Amino acid sequence: MSEPNIILAGFMGTGKTVVGKIVAERLGRPFVDLDDQIAAQAGKSIPAIFAEDGEAVFRALESAACEELRAPRALVVAVGGGAVLSPHNRAALSAGGMVICLEAAPEALAHRLGEAPGRPMLAPAAGETVAQRIEALLAERASAYAILPYHLDTTLLAPDRVADRVLAISAGLPEGAFRIPVTLPGAAYDVLVAEGLLADAGDRIKRTGLAPGRCTVITNPSVASHHGETLTAALARAGFSPFVLEIPDGEAHKTLAVVSDLYHRLAAARASRNEPIIALGGGVVGDLAGFVAATWLRGVPFVQIPSSLLAMVDASVGGKTAVDLPEGKNLVGAFKQPELVLIDPNMLGTLPPAEFRAGLAEVVKAGVIGDRVLFERLAGDGPGSLAEMIADAIKVKVAVIQRDPHEMGERAVLNLGHTFGHSLELLSDYTMRHGEAVSIGMVAAAALSEQLQLCPKGMAELLRDVLGRLGLPVSAAFDPDAALHAMGTDKKRLGTRLRFVVIEEIGRVSLVDGVPEDAVRDALAAVRA
């Protein structure tokens, strides 16, 4: 059976078509404008139907089009402002999906619609203005619109933010929450961001189609002490029987030896192919659990519940899993897309401040890569909310991975600062936090970009300022020769040549390889304490 339709109803000018197209694109669904469909079937424009055939004929065509939507077809549909006045139409649309009524203040509608050319219902009577006509129609339709189950005021919201709210409503999420769909070849899943989501984890996992029964939770003692009981209780309420496997905390334990130990413990528990593995923890837990889920019994369902900011905005999304070798970070891995990613910002309340700051580096990185507004908010007064900041950073990553799901090209831009950063992590024997290393690496990448004359002067200083004000390091003590040697094992190299992500401007980056060693040394010097 197809997924339910998402129907955007409401008065003209509320943004149904613009928002509908954004929602459809994010979901990877077809978009249908019902008025356009009616015009195509009639072979004439809507104004022509009104003028030549009358409103009654148009309403009959509209009702027939609504009736065709009675069955769920996984569509995003914008319907005309008068379509839901008929109880028959409302019943047909509701049978096939979720009807969301977009609203806006009359003055905002008047501004958006202007003189409303081509809108027969807005043609004013003698002595009447368009604004007065809008208010009269709104009054006539108020009771019909009020019956609709979901309402969303678009007066002060940009279309992207309206689309965010539509997607959240479609997932049954509260105000201030976000649903970020990920659509990849052979895989589609949601990233849900909402306060209190951990306590609803069992029901959310069940909604993906995973049957209640046994499941494995992989976590570490620190995270388990704060959040393990909430998760296992939520799973039990939904009919799951979780057993918990704890692994040591820290990057030093992201090894094949720990993976092997997990295999043996899963075998002892007789874990089967249909039993999901749930990662509850930061990036290390997510990487390890994902790698195990990808390889145990040739692959079992996987769910990510990240507990750190860094894991929320980066490691938990995209399907990359890996373990480290003594020779380098993340050299052994696999792609394993989750069934669901659940992000509860409330979990960050137990995160040490230094770990939270480390996660902010990945948020800054997202802004530099593809969201100037996000970067400017971080550089200024801050985002509107923690959930919004997390969601905006994730959307940058999702946009990239959907274009390059297996890191064959563009996806490598997500490694901004990582070629430098991974070498510093390795030299520190992983005592340096990943986010701290990325912070320093981004400054080095900016310095390299300036040296290669790919961005305006001052880019490195801009990043030093923003990252420094967020409490992140922008330099470190290290041996440049050792750093260059460590870069030689980086998996992002192209043959024997190192590949770097460089900054062209805030919101746009690109890839270069074959960079002269002297330029790399100069970039390292720019971040050497």
Side-chain angles (χ1 to χ4, degrees), residues 488 493-499 514:
R493 67 189 185 280
L494 192 63
T496 59
R497 297 176 298 174
L498 285 174
R499 170 181 281 187

Side-chain angles (χ1 to χ4, degrees), residues 380-405:
D381 296 332
S385 70
L386 188 55
E388 180 183 288
M389 181 189 77
I390 292 168
D392 285 345
I394 291 170
K395 283 189 282 187
V396 171
K397 182 168 187 178
V398 168
V400 173
I401 66 174
Q402 287 184 154
R403 294 191 294 265
D404 183 17

Side-chain angles (χ1 to χ4, degrees), residues 76 174 233 249 331 448 526:
V76 178
D249 194 7
L331 293 182
L448 180 64

Side-chain angles (χ1 to χ4, degrees), residues 103-401:
E103 301 171 334
E107 56 272 21
L109 295 173
H111 176 74
R112 294 174 188 176
L113 294 169
E115 293 305 312
R119 296 182 184 269
M121 293 304 298
L122 280 189
E128 185 182 39
T129 66
V130 170
Q132 289 170 333
R133 180 63 179 153
I134 288 172
E135 291 190 6
L137 281 173
L138 285 172
E140 290 176 15
R141 299 176 177 184
S143 59
Y145 288 162
I147 294 172
L148 299 177
Y150 302 99
H151 294 257
L152 175 54
D153 191 337
T154 70
T155 304
L156 301 176
L157 297 177
D160 276 348
R161 288 299 185 212
V162 180
D164 286 339
R165 189 69 196 116
V166 168
L167 287 165
I169 291 171
S170 72
L173 295 172
E175 183 80 28
F178 295 84
R179 173 194 180 190
I180 305 164
V182 183
T183 306
L184 302 169
Y189 59 93
D190 283 336
V191 181
L192 303 182
V193 184
E195 294 182 355
L197 199 56
L198 183 65
D200 193 34
D203 182 59
R204 289 290 173 179
I205 293 170
K206 188 162 63 173
R207 289 191 198 186
T208 68
L210 292 173
R214 290 207 314 168
C215 63
T216 302
V217 176
I218 297 179
T219 186
N220 65 42
S222 176
V223 174
S225 68
H226 291 298
H227 307 295
E229 186 176 333
T230 301
L231 175 59
T232 54
L235 291 168
R237 284 195 300 272
F240 291 95
S241 299
F243 65 99
V244 179
L245 299 180
E246 292 187 0
I247 60 174
D249 194 7
E251 183 79 30
H253 301 287
K254 203 174 84 171
T255 64
L256 288 170
V258 174
V259 169
S260 177
D261 179 62
L262 286 170
Y263 290 150
H264 288 297
R265 293 158 76 183
L266 287 167
R270 298 183 180 274
S272 67
R273 184 170 290 170
N274 65 335
E275 296 172 8
I277 287 176
I278 301 168
L280 175 68
V284 171
V285 169
D287 272 2
L288 268 168
F291 185 74
V292 170
T295 51
W296 172 249
L297 301 178
R298 297 191 178 93
V300 299
F302 179 48
V303 174
Q304 284 268 30
I305 306 180
S307 62
S308 70
L309 179 59
L310 190 148
M312 289 177 181
V313 301
D314 185 51
S316 66
V317 180
K320 287 169 64 175
T321 70
V323 295
D324 303 335
L325 296 180
E327 293 81 3
K329 183 179 171 72
N330 294 335
L331 293 182
V332 180
F335 282 96
K336 177 62 177 177
Q337 299 298 341
E339 305 295 318
L340 179 67
V341 180
L342 295 175
I343 295 176
D344 184 347
N346 287 346
M347 295 173 69
L348 297 175
T350 62
L351 195 68
E355 293 292 343
F356 182 83
R357 288 194 297 271
L360 285 174
E362 291 287 354
V363 180
V364 173
K365 183 197 78 173
V368 175
I369 289 171
D371 191 338
R372 175 183 285 273
V373 173
L374 172 60
F375 182 86
E376 290 174 347
R377 286 174 177 160
L378 292 167
D381 296 332
S385 70
L386 188 55
E388 180 183 288
M389 181 189 77
I390 292 168
D392 285 345
I394 291 170
K395 283 189 282 187
V396 171
K397 182 168 187 178
V398 168
V400 173
I401 66 174

Side-chain angles (χ1 to χ4, degrees), residues 20-103:
K21 288 178 178 178
I22 296 171
V23 171
E25 181 180 8
R26 292 193 195 173
L27 287 170
R29 292 187 181 189
F31 171 72
V32 175
D33 185 302
L34 210 64
D35 281 354
D36 287 348
Q37 182 174 294
I38 292 167
Q41 291 173 345
K44 62 180 76 173
S45 68
I46 302 299
I49 296 173
F50 270 79
E52 298 170 15
D53 306 312
E55 182 180 354
V57 169
F58 171 77
R59 294 303 175 196
L61 293 171
E62 187 176 60
S63 291
C66 289
E67 186 61 32
E68 291 179 5
L69 295 170
R70 185 175 288 275
R73 291 160 54 192
L75 301 173
V76 178
V77 184
V79 301
V84 294
L85 302 182
S86 159
H88 174 86
N89 292 353
R90 291 197 299 270
L93 295 171
S94 297
M98 174 179 284
V99 182
I100 302 172
C101 182
L102 303 189
E103 301 171 334

